[in-house]
């Protein structure tokens, strides 16, 4: 879920109106409007998903450049111009990574990830978004400390997909 706001990169390339990168899809107002019904239905179970999304669009992108935080009220960009390679940003990313593991363990999502389910195949999307940038811009300047979290997620997502594919072929 955390990579979804960056679908606006694609939208911008396709020249879809109002969808510029770090625009509407990174707005705190749009995020709350979208999550209001989700919270109403799923209550606190929706919270980890909200955190995943907010960690990217409202925290990470806010720290490293800026976002149209108050779209549609204003297209003004708000943010702190931290470098992706700055210690503060790396620390924030690592804290979010550790928090995500704790949440996945507490909610049993980590166990659920290794049970074959068709929806696990959707994990191809985050794998694709992690692997595409380094393939397009090789070598990509990523701080070494941020490589292990990426590898961790790519590996557990890949294992989850392979497990689902294997069980599907067994059932055939
Ligand atoms: Zn973004």
């Amino acid at each position: 879920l955390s990579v979804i706001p960056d679908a606006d990169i694609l939208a911008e390339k396709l020249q879809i109106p109002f969808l510029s990168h770090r625009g509407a899809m990174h707005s705190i107002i749009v995020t709350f409007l979208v999550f209001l019904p989700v919270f109403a239905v799923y209550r606190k179970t929706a919270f980890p998903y909200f955190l995943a999304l907010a960690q990217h669009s409202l925290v990470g992108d806010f720290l490293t450049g800026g976002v149209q935080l108050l779209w549609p009220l204003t297209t003004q960009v708000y943010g702190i111009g931290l470098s992706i390679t700055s210690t503060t940003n790396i620390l924030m990313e690592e804290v979010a990574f550790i928090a995500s593991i704790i949440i996945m363990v507490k909610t049993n999502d980590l166990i659920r990830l290794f049970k074959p389910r068709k929806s696990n195949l959707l994990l191809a999307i985050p794998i694709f978004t992690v692997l595409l940038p380094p393939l397009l811009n090789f070598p990509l300047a990523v701080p070494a400390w941020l490589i292990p979290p990426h590898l961790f997620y790519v590996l557990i997502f890949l294992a989850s997909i392979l497990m689902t594919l294997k069980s599907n072929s067994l059932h055939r």
Side-chain angles (χ1 to χ4, degrees):
L1 193 73
S2 74
V3 298
I4 286 177
D6 277 354
D8 60 10
I9 296 175
L10 202 69
E12 194 176 70
K13 289 234 186 305
L14 297 172
Q15 295 180 337
I16 297 172
F18 305 114
L19 284 181
S20 58
H21 182 41
R22 291 190 169 191
M25 288 177 75
H26 289 65
S27 151
I28 197 166
I29 296 170
V30 173
T31 304
F32 275 101
L33 285 178
V34 168
F35 265 91
L36 220 57
V38 181
F39 272 118
V41 175
Y42 295 100
R43 308 274 164 181
K44 64 176 187 183
T45 18
F47 199 63
Y49 301 93
F50 173 78
L51 272 187
L53 189 119
Q55 186 275 332
H56 159 191
S57 56
L58 304 180
V59 180
D61 284 356
F62 179 84
L63 292 176
T64 58
V67 291
Q68 291 180 23
L69 199 64
L70 300 177
W71 192 95
L73 297 181
T74 167
T75 54
Q76 165 87 40
V77 171
Y78 296 93
I80 305 164
L82 277 184
S83 157
I84 289 174
T85 56
S86 69
T87 313
T88 312
N89 182 53
I90 293 173
L91 269 175
M92 292 289 293
E93 296 272 11
E94 296 293 349
V95 166
F97 172 58
I98 292 164
S100 74
I101 295 176
I102 294 170
I103 292 171
M104 282 199 299
V105 170
K106 288 241 176 221
T107 56
N108 262 343
D109 276 353
L110 197 59
I111 305 286
R112 225 168 286 154
L113 215 52
F114 295 107
K115 292 199 175 128
R117 280 195 309 180
K118 281 247 164 71
S119 60
N120 288 347
L121 299 178
L122 286 171
L123 296 171
I125 298 169
I127 291 181
F128 181 72
T129 60
V130 168
L131 294 183
L132 193 66
L135 290 176
L136 290 179
N137 291 304
F138 189 82
L140 189 72
V142 172
W145 280 100
L146 295 183
I147 295 174
H150 283 85
L151 285 180
F152 173 82
Y153 274 109
V154 166
L155 291 178
I156 63 167
F157 289 172
L158 203 59
S160 175
I161 290 174
L162 291 176
M163 231 168 261
T164 302
L165 290 177
K166 193 179 164 208
S167 86
N168 272 2
S169 64
L170 286 178
H171 289 153
R172 223 171 269 150

